[in-house]
């Protein structure tokens, strides 16, 4: 079994910063792509940023230049540094990971979500 546990959400101010963390644990052989998604009320879940095992990144246009995704493979963790926050960044943020299990099966997992609220 694999768990993704997020932390670091909360209340931020317009123009301010927040940092999200996500740590994976369980019967993990290796982790491939990791990413952050978000879902605002009444809207579909959308990709915010993703990073490959080797560090290749991609971002949603709405966050380019403001958010930075990074990972620590040894710690099985992914991070999202969010700067220049805007009220429209308010959403529940979810961690996602492609995991190769010790059984060599490949599965995709989601974290439980962490609320980010940006006040104007």
């Amino acid at each position: 079994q694999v768990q993704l546990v997020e932390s670091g959400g909360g209340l931020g101010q317009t123009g301010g910063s927040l940092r999200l963390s996500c740590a994976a644990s369980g019967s993990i052989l290796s982790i491939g792509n990791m990413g952050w998604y978000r879902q605002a009320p009444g809207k579909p879940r959308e990709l915010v940023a993703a990073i490959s095992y080797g560090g290749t990144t991609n971002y949603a246009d709405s966050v380019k230049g403001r958010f930075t995704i990074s990972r620590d493979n040894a710690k099985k963790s992914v991070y999202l540094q969010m700067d220049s926050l805007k009220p429209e960044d308010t959403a529940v943020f979810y961690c996602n990971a492609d995991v190769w299990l010790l059984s060599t099966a490949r599965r995709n997992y989601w974290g439980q979500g962490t609320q980010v609220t940006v006040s104007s």
Side-chain angles (χ1 to χ4, degrees):
Q1 194 61 275
V2 172
Q3 283 189 316
L4 301 180
V5 178
E6 298 126 338
S7 61
L11 180 64
Q13 294 185 333
T14 296
S17 298
L18 286 173
R19 180 177 169 85
L20 304 182
S21 300
C22 171
S25 62
S27 303
I28 298 170
L29 178 65
S30 180
I31 303 177
N33 292 337
M34 303 185 81
W36 289 95
Y37 289 72
R38 67 185 178 187
Q39 187 166 20
K43 294 186 177 181
R45 192 173 296 188
E46 63 174 0
L47 175 67
V48 175
I51 185 168
S52 69
Y53 181 87
T56 300
T57 59
N58 67 283
Y59 297 91
D61 288 344
S62 59
V63 306
K64 282 180 181 177
R66 301 188 299 120
F67 291 7
T68 303
I69 189 171
S70 60
R71 65 188 287 171
D72 185 327
N73 292 328
K75 294 183 178 179
K76 299 182 179 65
S77 295
V78 63
Y79 310 97
L80 187 67
Q81 177 66 39
M82 303 186 293
D83 299 319
S84 301
L85 287 167
K86 301 177 179 180
E88 50 263 45
D89 294 321
T90 296
V92 178
F93 281 70
Y94 297 90
C95 174
N96 180 269
D98 280 333
V99 179
W100 275 264
L101 304 173
L102 293 177
S103 64
T104 72
R106 178 185 176 185
R107 298 282 187 269
N108 186 264
Y109 291 92
W110 291 92
Q112 80 283 0
T114 185
Q115 177 70 46
V116 170
T117 302
V118 182
S119 62
S120 56

